[in-house]
Amino acid sequence: METSADEMPAPGAAPALKLRVLYPVLVLALGAALLLRLRPATFSAREQAAVQRAALLALFDAREHAKRLVFWSDTTHLSPTLQLLRDSGVPFEAQPPDTAALALPLPVHLESLATLEQQFRAEPDGWEAWFARYPASSGLVALTRPTLLAQSPDGTQRDALSVAVIVARTCGEHCHSAWRVTLIRDRRNVWQVRAIEPLTLPRD
């Protein structure tokens, strides 16, 4: 079957048609690549530790000049302050500290509910004895898993490389503090603290 000159595609029509078909596909592929670049699918354990380290140093080294840190390490129970946050409806995922990955320039100690209860049964003045055991500490510190944010803290731009982590501190029977620390990763891939927000805690 012959094709008349009128039915023949014009020169360059076929490549143009292909470009019209492929253009949306290329745009979607490029957009997906940029999105994956801006919003990594996974947040590695190394990055999580770097975020937590930066938050801890900002709170307890730069601000409070603590000489040691004592971490709540119990994987089956929340720390007293995190439990208060959970009861008040604050969403988070508790995370026992990876002290090796944190590599803090301070002496580090670990406490669980069992060891804490044992100490308090042995000492009539529980928290006074606890601080005598851990002098110049900032209390019993608990961490949450860092979470990626959808936008920068000032709300001016979307930035998937900003994160938030909650740091909680128990320092007595009715002594509790918690902060939401927001950080952004700079061009040197270093996490920088941009905001420290005290969280309101219910009375226990």
Side-chain angles (χ1 to χ4, degrees), residues 159 161 183-192 194:
D159 186 351
L161 296 182
L183 307 94
I184 290 184
R185 193 169 65 184
D186 64 20
R187 294 179 180 179
R188 301 169 299 158
N189 288 329
V190 176
W191 288 101
Q192 302 287 346
R194 289 298 180 88

Side-chain angles (χ1 to χ4, degrees), residues 4-183:
S4 68
D6 292 339
E7 295 174 340
M8 291 291 289
L17 179 61
K18 289 181 179 178
L19 284 176
R20 284 199 300 271
V21 173
L22 291 176
Y23 183 74
V25 177
L26 291 173
V27 170
L28 288 173
L30 180 60
L34 289 173
L35 186 62
L36 287 174
R37 183 180 178 185
L38 290 175
R39 294 187 65 84
T42 58
F43 196 46
S44 70
R46 180 179 179 181
E47 291 276 35
Q48 292 180 44
V51 167
Q52 292 170 334
R53 172 188 165 89
L56 290 166
L57 291 178
L59 283 167
F60 301 122
D61 185 36
R63 288 175 51 157
E64 297 193 1
H65 308 294
K67 301 302 181 185
R68 68 186 68 244
L69 285 177
V70 186
F71 287 110
W72 182 269
S73 62
D74 202 319
T75 57
T76 56
H77 301 89
L78 292 176
S79 76
T81 304
L82 285 185
Q83 186 62 58
L84 288 174
L85 285 174
R86 175 65 53 79
D87 294 343
S88 65
V90 176
F92 63 82
E93 182 180 351
Q95 186 177 51
D98 184 342
T99 55
L102 287 173
L104 293 164
L106 301 169
V108 172
H109 310 272
L110 299 176
E111 286 275 19
S112 67
L113 179 62
T115 58
L116 192 65
E117 288 179 339
Q118 182 179 3
Q119 292 173 31
F120 276 44
R121 283 195 298 267
E123 300 289 347
D125 299 320
W127 281 105
E128 183 177 346
W130 191 90
F131 277 104
R133 180 173 182 175
Y134 300 116
S137 74
S138 289
L140 187 55
V141 175
L143 297 169
T144 68
R145 188 181 301 276
T147 56
L148 288 169
L149 301 177
Q151 62 182 16
S152 56
D154 57 8
T156 57
Q157 65 182 50
R158 296 183 67 81
D159 186 351
L161 296 182
S162 70
V163 300
V165 61
I166 293 176
V167 181
R169 183 251 303 279
T170 305
C171 45
E173 185 177 358
H174 301 288
C175 177
H176 307 279
S177 304
W179 304 267
R180 180 180 286 108
V181 184
T182 304
L183 307 94

